[in-house]
């Protein structure tokens, strides 16, 4: 929102929320129906093709968003080192409003301007006139409109909304108040209307011009430089005709320079060219990839989880993962295609980067889904990918690699111990986060609690929780005899006295892992609190009970570049398995925590608190 919002700030359909697409539905239905039922000679392909073209624009923009986020996460050629936060993601989530707006205007124009009916595919003169009209009137008028928008009156009411994003992403280019978009459309309509009324327009000239505008907008708002210097060396005048991301980035950091649209020519003419443009361009081109200090290794969960990654749909990534996003079923062709690619071929890729004090962090994703971790025939492939990631981290000099994977529940590689035996001289330290997960669960139990029930697949974390509680004098109830025997054998005689096998008179605090059935949840008494110790939360079926998050903590403010949620966790909340790697690197412990190895849970709990991490819920007296 602008600092002093003016008239026509909000989009007319803002009140519709996610149902805003209904405003364009009548035109889409009408054009599709008309094309399908009319005779071949009466059909108007120009009208019919508007909707597919709008869809192609959305895909085009999304490709730029994903590509840009991937490149900036790697760090190569990055321009600005400042960070993106949730407020920018929220501000930029309505980037498709301008496509809806353009679509309505296209339909209305095609309906009432007779020259827009039945356009041919190609007219050479129309393409030539479009190029000339853009290079002349459009670029010139935009320059002065842009300078006017930086006058304090218009800037505070309109353009400041766009400049709230210091670090730009491709889609920052179209984040403007509604009134500003009206002015831009009038400007860009000059070549379109001129070629229409002169009888030189074609579908290619229309679609090509709008695609060119989208391309240049997205390209120029990337936060990494990707225009090779040899282009300007081969054709020096090009620097007056095409801008670069670093050129426009200076406009967002300096505000009073580099006003031109896509052609810097007018900045040179009117003396508003930033003197550091060439220097920043060259410096950004030679910048190397980041070398992180710690890496978190994660994986995909469900087929739809690709859209919840930071590289996917930004607004979905910025919210806790929910399975109720019904519109994702429309994406099934892309979802199916991505599944085939990851099943046949795939390699670990960078998802995001963060900064914790002076520590550089990255998250890498293994392109395998949760269900594949339980498939025997997939284990060799998954372990191969994990091993390659570990060796890559070791080669890059990374200090810590945290294994945020289903190693424990699936028994995939003995909690990372398999890789230590294969590579005993690893310099990178492998951390599975079990100790911190135990510490968080233990400290989530309400104070004064002397009885808890434990239920779910028994893992390294589950055994350690039971041991810590039994040693602390808390009775631990189990519901099944086989689990009771396994826990009893692990606890020893003294601690084992506090382990109880019973299906009746169960406590109101349940520690639960994967494998908790709905039937068993129904056995819990009213008011029971379910505290997960697994990486996946239980299905919530009891409205009269409460459910904690999976082991996680609130991150401190000095963890930067946080603009996405970790799976189903709330904003600025991080899982124990991810935090553990950060704390190990910060504390410089220099040892592995995988296999059967465990840290003192009090030691790692205190270390987390000292680093600024905070529990999600304070323990209260029962």
């Amino acid at each position: 929102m602008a600092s002093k919002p003016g008239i026509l700030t909000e989009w007319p359909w803002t009140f519709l929320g996610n149902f805003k697409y209904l405003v364009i539905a009548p035109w889409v239905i009408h054009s599709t129906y008309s094309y399908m039922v009319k005779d071949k000679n009466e059909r108007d392909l120009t009208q019919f093709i508007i909707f597919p073209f709008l869809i192609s624009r959305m895909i085009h923009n999304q490709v730029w968003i994903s590509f840009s986020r991937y490149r900036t996460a790697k760090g190569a050629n990055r321009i600005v080192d400042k960070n993106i936060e949730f407020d920018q993601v929220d501000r930029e989530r309505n980037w498709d409003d301008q496509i809806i707006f353009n679509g309505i205007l296209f339909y209305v124009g095609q309906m009432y301007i007779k020259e827009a009916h039945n356009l041919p595919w190609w007219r050479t003169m129309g393409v030539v006139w479009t190029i000339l009209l853009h290079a002349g009137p459009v670029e010139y008028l935009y320059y002065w409109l842009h300078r006017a928008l930086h006058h304090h009156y218009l800037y505070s009411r309109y353009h400041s909304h766009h400049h709230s994003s210091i670090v730009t992403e491709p889609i920052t280019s179209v984040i403007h108040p509604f009134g500003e978009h009206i002015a831009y459309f009038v400007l860009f309509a000059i070549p379109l209307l001129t070629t229409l009324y002169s009888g030189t327009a074609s579908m290619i000239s229309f679609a090509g011009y709008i695609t060119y505008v989208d391309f240049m907008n997205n390209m120029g708002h990337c936060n990494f430089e990707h225009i090779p210097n040899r282009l300007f060396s081969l054709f020096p005048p090009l620097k007056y005709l095409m801008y670069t991301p670093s050129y426009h980035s200076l406009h967002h950091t300096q505000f009073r320079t580099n006003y031109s649209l896509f052609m810097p020519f007018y900045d040179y003419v009117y003396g508003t060219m930033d003197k550091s443009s060439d220097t920043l361009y060259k410096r950004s081109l030679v910048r190397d990839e980041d070398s992180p200090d710690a890496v978190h290794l994660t994986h995909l969960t469900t087929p739809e989880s690709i859209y919840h990654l930071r590289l996917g749909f930004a607004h979905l990534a910025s919210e806790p993962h929910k399975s109720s996003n019904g519109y994702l079923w429309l994406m099934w062709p892309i979802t199916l295609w991505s599944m085939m690619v990851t099943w046949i071929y795939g390699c670990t890729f960078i998802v995001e980067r963060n900064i914790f004090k002076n520590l550089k962090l990255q998250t890498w994703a293994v392109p395998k889904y949760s269900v594949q971790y339980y498939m025997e025939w997939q284990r060799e492939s998954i372990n191969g990918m994990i091993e390659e990631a570990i060796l890559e981290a070791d080669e890059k000099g990374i200090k810590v690699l945290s294994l945020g994977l289903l190693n424990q529940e699936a028994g995939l590689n003995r909690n990372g111990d398999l890789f230590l035996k294969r590579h005993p001289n690893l310099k990178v330290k492998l951390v599975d986060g079990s100790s911190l997960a135990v510490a968080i669960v233990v400290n989530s139990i309400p104070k004064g609690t002397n009885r808890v029930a434990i239920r779910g697949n028994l893992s390294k974390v589950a055994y350690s929780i039971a041991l810590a509680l039994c040693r602390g004098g808390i009775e631990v109830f189990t519901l099944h005899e086989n689990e009771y025997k396994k826990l009893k054998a692990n606890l020893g005689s003294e601690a084992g006295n506090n382990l109880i096998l019973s299906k009746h008179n169960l406590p109101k605090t349940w520690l639960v892992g994967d494998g908790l059935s709905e039937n068993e949840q129904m056995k819990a008494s009213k008011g029971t609190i379910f505290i997960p110790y697994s990486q996946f939360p239980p299905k919530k079926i009891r409205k009269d009970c409460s459910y904690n998050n999976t082991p996680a903590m609130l991150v401190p403010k000095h963890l930067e570049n946080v603009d996405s949620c970790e799976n189903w966790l709330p904003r600025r909340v991080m899982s124990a398995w991810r935090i553990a790697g950060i704390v190990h690197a910060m504390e410089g412990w220099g040892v592995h925590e995988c296999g059967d190895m465990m840290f003192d849970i009090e030691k790692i709990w205190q270390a987390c608190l000292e680093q600024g991490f905070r529990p999600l819920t304070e323990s209260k007296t029962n």
Side-chain angles (χ1 to χ4, degrees), residues 470 474-476 484 488 491-500:
C470 287
I474 296 177
E475 293 181 339
V476 177
Y484 175 80
K488 188 80 171 179
L491 294 178
S493 56
E494 185 177 345
N497 293 330
N498 286 319
L499 187 68
I500 298 170

Side-chain angles (χ1 to χ4, degrees), residues 212-230:
Y212 164 77
V213 172
D214 286 344
F215 179 89
M216 294 299 288
N217 261 331
N218 285 319
M219 182 274 288
H221 283 79
C222 289
N223 189 30
F224 65 96
E225 189 54 76
H226 50 96
I227 307 300
N229 191 39
R230 62 178 174 271

Side-chain angles (χ1 to χ4, degrees), residues 347-523:
C347 59
T348 303
F349 57 95
I350 298 173
V351 175
E352 64 179 293
R353 69 178 182 93
N354 306 100
I355 300 174
F356 188 88
K357 296 181 179 178
N358 295 322
L359 204 68
K360 293 181 180 179
L361 312 172
Q362 282 185 353
T363 300
W364 299 355
V366 174
K368 294 290 185 179
Y369 304 103
S370 298
V371 66
Q372 291 173 281
Y373 281 72
Y374 295 95
M375 296 177 178
E376 190 70 33
W377 61 278
Q378 281 284 311
R379 292 192 171 192
E380 184 177 347
S381 173
I382 294 173
N383 276 335
M385 287 186 176
I386 298 173
E387 188 171 14
E388 286 177 8
I390 291 171
L391 295 177
E392 182 181 351
D394 195 57
E395 184 180 349
K396 289 184 175 181
I398 294 168
K399 299 175 184 176
V400 174
L401 188 143
S402 55
L403 299 168
L405 302 164
L406 290 176
N407 293 325
Q408 298 171 26
E409 286 78 2
L412 188 67
N413 47 57
R414 300 190 297 275
N415 306 318
D417 189 52
L418 172 67
F419 307 119
L420 284 185
K421 290 184 176 178
R422 288 182 180 176
H423 309 282
N425 297 319
L426 282 175
K427 294 179 181 178
V428 61
K429 302 307 175 186
L430 305 184
V431 175
D432 67 11
S434 298
S435 304
L436 181 55
V438 172
I440 291 174
V441 171
V442 169
N443 283 279
S444 298
I445 297 173
K447 291 181 180 177
T449 299
N450 51 28
R451 303 163 69 241
V452 301
I454 189 166
R455 175 67 195 103
N457 297 342
L458 295 180
S459 62
K460 177 182 175 181
V461 171
Y463 284 118
S464 300
I465 290 171
L467 179 61
L469 294 178
C470 287
R471 283 180 175 175
I474 296 177
E475 293 181 339
V476 177
F477 283 65
T478 61
L479 280 67
H480 300 287
E481 187 173 357
N482 62 328
E483 292 176 359
Y484 175 80
K485 289 179 179 179
K486 290 178 181 178
L487 287 170
K488 188 80 171 179
N490 189 69
L491 294 178
S493 56
E494 185 177 345
N497 293 330
N498 286 319
L499 187 68
I500 298 170
L501 174 62
S502 176
K503 294 185 179 181
H504 308 286
N505 193 27
L506 295 172
K508 286 196 172 184
T509 301
W510 282 41
L511 311 181
V512 297
D514 291 333
L516 176 70
S517 67
E518 294 183 9
N519 249 354
E520 288 167 328
Q521 285 193 52
M522 298 307 298
K523 293 178 182 178

Side-chain angles (χ1 to χ4, degrees), residues 63-81 84 168-170 219 221-228 245 281 283-290 310-311 349-353 362 561:
V63 168
W64 271 108
I65 294 170
S66 299
F67 176 60
S68 177
R69 288 189 157 206
Y70 173 71
R71 282 292 303 269
T72 52
K74 292 182 70 174
N77 311 125
R78 193 165 59 240
I79 301 167
V80 179
D81 275 328
I84 293 172
T168 59
E169 293 200 288
M219 182 274 288
H221 283 79
C222 289
N223 189 30
F224 65 96
E225 189 54 76
H226 50 96
I227 307 300
Y281 169 71
R283 186 169 68 240
S284 301
L285 273 181
V286 298
R287 182 167 183 172
D288 295 327
E289 289 186 17
D290 283 341
R310 189 180 182 276
L311 306 182
F349 57 95
I350 298 173
V351 175
E352 64 179 293
R353 69 178 182 93
Q362 282 185 353
N561 203 43

Side-chain angles (χ1 to χ4, degrees), residues 64-116:
W64 271 108
I65 294 170
S66 299
F67 176 60
S68 177
R69 288 189 157 206
Y70 173 71
R71 282 292 303 269
T72 52
K74 292 182 70 174
N77 311 125
R78 193 165 59 240
I79 301 167
V80 179
D81 275 328
K82 292 182 180 179
N83 304 297
I84 293 172
E85 303 293 340
F86 284 110
D87 60 343
Q88 180 169 341
V89 176
D90 292 339
R91 186 171 60 252
E92 296 182 351
R93 67 176 298 170
N94 68 331
W95 59 265
D96 51 350
D97 279 342
Q98 54 97 22
I99 295 180
I100 297 173
F101 175 55
N102 288 177
I104 292 173
L105 293 176
F106 290 156
Y107 277 117
V108 172
Q110 202 279 333
M111 186 178 297
Y112 292 104
I113 301 175
K114 65 178 183 179
E115 290 83 359

Side-chain angles (χ1 to χ4, degrees), residues 109 139 221 223 230 262 278 283 299 326 525 576 609:
E139 287 281 349
H221 283 79
N223 189 30
R230 62 178 174 271
F262 307 141
D278 289 342
R283 186 169 68 240
H299 62 89
S525 56
L609 297 179

